Amino acid sequence: MPRHAAVHVDLDAVAHNVATLAGLVAPAELCVVVKADGYGHGAEDVAATALAAGADRLAVALVEEGQELRDVGFDAPVLVLSQPPADAMADAFAATLTPTVDTAAGIDAAARAADGAAWPVHLKVDTGMHRVGCTPADALGLARRVLDRGLALEGVFTHLAVADEPDRPETDEQLACFDRVLASLVADGIDPGVRHAANSAGLLLHDAARMDMVRVGIATYGVAPSSDLHIDVDIRPAMTVTAEVSHVRSVDAGEGVSYGLRHRFDRSARLAVVPLGYADGVPRRLGELSADVLIGGVRRPIRGVVTMDQLVVEVTDGPEVAVGDEVVLIGRQGDQEVTVDEWAKLLGTISYEILCGFGPRLPRRHLRRVSHAAGDAGTRS
Ligand SMILES: Cc1ncc(COP(=O)(O)O)c(C=O)c1O
């Protein structure tokens, strides 16, 4: 029995976004970030679509994510965005992934795994985000170590901490620091290879960050890096989340709904039950915030807390609602739209967390009106 709730992914929107972004950054390379199952969109389908639409490379967070892409036949370069644990280096090498390195121990582990092969690696430099990456002072020594150990230094990169806040000075400071690191390598006779710094916000808001390659995640999926940001580039949201009304019922004035009976109706009300809950990625608090869903082309508020598998919507006003009617949680219905940014703002979080939150229990339905088949054939062995 198919579930009466699903995540729909518009691959034509992904293709459009990738082609738009690739055109914008050319001649820089476009590396599409498909970690966390393609930000919840399905890594395989996104990867195939992105490569067919002009992406040059893919990036993941984990060796396992890269292995999954190899297992289904992708042969494009796959960058692992952080240094893999030492005991994962052999798997990364076997899968011909491109690891990030940022410590002497990591470089040595990569060299052991490569066993004499000139395995391409990228050196990550922390220019101010202070999460991972070597210090700027250590970069030259580590780049030299990569070469001394017989590895190939294919790229050097950094990651921007506030690129989505265009008025802050730290992005320019990070880029200036990165430039100094690159210059120190060149002065020492080391070719840094592919230099990269930009995520989606870097690419969209800081021309100087584009360099030789950009690593684009959220914009691939048609979502702005920050809810407050107006992006002047034509990208289209790829994800729609829908369900079908499972029950319709009436309650009297004064009754409450859902766990805690926290929402009480001050009039008799009509309710529609929607078979999807926080175990699917609809945050429990959305109900207390009276977030809207769309039914019959009209906005309807969620009432009471979202439960693990179901939520309740008030449908007292507006057109009659029946069992089986389509409910749009994220996406368009008629001339109305609920965006991930709307949820992110209500919940005080970011769109990334909402997208990644839609769990594996929800089936993914990939829609493709335009064929990307020629590209698929070229990207899988
Ligand atoms: C190192 C690195 N580069 C690029 C990205 C892509 O970022 P965005 O989704 O903002 O484009 C990420 C995502 O977190 C990342 O960790």
Side-chain angles (χ1 to χ4, degrees):
M1 272 291 287
R3 230 192 124 181
H4 290 177
V7 171
H8 307 264
V9 179
D10 181 350
L11 293 175
D12 295 334
V14 172
H16 165 85
N17 297 339
V18 168
T20 303
L21 297 166
L24 203 62
V25 303
E29 286 186 52
L30 186 74
C31 175
V32 168
V33 181
V34 295
K35 61 183 177 164
D37 200 24
Y39 290 37
H41 294 68
E44 273 183 42
D45 289 84
V46 169
T49 305
L51 290 166
D56 301 285
R57 298 168 188 248
L58 303 170
V60 294
L62 308 177
V63 170
E64 297 89 303
E65 292 173 330
Q67 282 175 317
E68 283 168 18
L69 292 172
R70 291 287 183 249
D71 286 349
V72 294
F74 287 97
D75 55 14
V78 177
L79 176 65
V80 182
L81 291 166
S82 291
Q83 179 173 284
D87 58 5
M89 282 293 187
D91 286 339
F93 179 73
T96 63
L97 306 177
T98 308
T100 289
V101 291
D102 59 14
T103 65
I107 292 166
D108 292 352
R112 279 195 302 278
D115 194 22
W119 188 19
V121 302
H122 287 218
L123 177 67
K124 188 171 195 172
V125 186
D126 172 22
T127 55
M129 175 143 164
H130 303 326
R131 182 177 60 173
V132 290
C134 67
T135 65
D138 287 343
L140 178 58
L142 291 177
R144 170 72 47 218
R145 192 179 190 102
V146 165
L147 301 176
D148 289 348
R149 295 288 182 276
L151 301 167
L153 186 65
E154 188 188 66
V156 178
F157 75 108
T158 193
H159 193 43
L160 303 173
V162 296
D164 59 335
E165 297 178 62
D167 296 333
R168 291 182 59 167
E170 291 95 334
T171 300
D172 286 343
E173 290 163 13
Q174 282 195 262
L175 292 172
C177 174
F178 189 46
D179 278 343
R180 287 193 295 275
V181 167
L182 294 168
S184 73
L185 266 61
V186 172
D188 208 54
I190 297 175
D191 178 1
V194 184
R195 304 159 306 148
H196 48 114
N199 53 4
S200 295
L203 135 68
L204 292 166
L205 301 171
H206 306 271
D207 288 357
R210 292 181 185 172
M211 302 188 164
D212 301 323
M213 184 176 95
V214 297
R215 308 179 305 268
V216 181
I218 198 81
T220 304
Y221 307 102
V223 177
S226 155
S227 322
D228 297 324
L229 217 53
H230 172 71
I231 297 296
D232 213 10
V233 173
D234 176 25
I235 52 171
R236 303 172 188 166
M239 184 185 284
T240 300
V241 181
T242 67
E244 284 178 20
V245 171
S246 61
H247 297 83
V248 179
R249 63 196 312 126
S250 297
V251 292
D252 294 331
E255 296 288 352
V257 67
S258 193
Y259 289 119
L261 301 175
R262 296 218 185 108
H263 182 88
R264 293 222 173 247
F265 297 94
D266 55 11
R267 57 177 177 167
S268 58
R270 290 282 287 166
L271 305 179
V273 181
V274 181
L276 161 153
Y278 62 75
D280 300 301
V282 184
R284 185 171 186 268
R285 239 160 37 85
L286 264 191
E288 291 177 281
L289 298 167
S290 292
D292 289 329
V293 302
L294 307 175
I295 309 178
V298 177
R299 284 181 168 264
R300 323 272 190 157
I302 302 175
R303 297 297 192 204
V305 294
V306 172
T307 68
M308 189 181 289
D309 316 300
Q310 303 182 78
L311 57 89
V312 180
V313 176
E314 180 170 0
V315 295
T316 316
D317 302 317
E320 191 82 358
V321 170
V323 169
D325 282 1
E326 182 196 58
V327 184
V328 171
L329 289 99
I330 297 288
R332 284 184 179 279
Q333 197 184 54
D335 58 6
Q336 293 291 320
E337 182 176 19
V338 176
T339 63
V340 259
D341 277 335
E342 182 176 327
W343 280 25
K345 270 190 180 162
L346 273 173
L347 292 158
T349 182
I350 54 173
S351 55
Y352 301 66
E353 189 177 4
I354 306 292
L355 292 174
C356 295
F358 292 115
R361 213 170 73 156
L362 278 177
R364 265 44 179 185
R365 304 215 172 111
H366 291 97
L367 318 176
R368 191 193 311 248
R369 285 174 294 274
V370 178
S371 170
H372 310 295
D376 290 359
T379 57
R380 300 190 194 202
S381 54

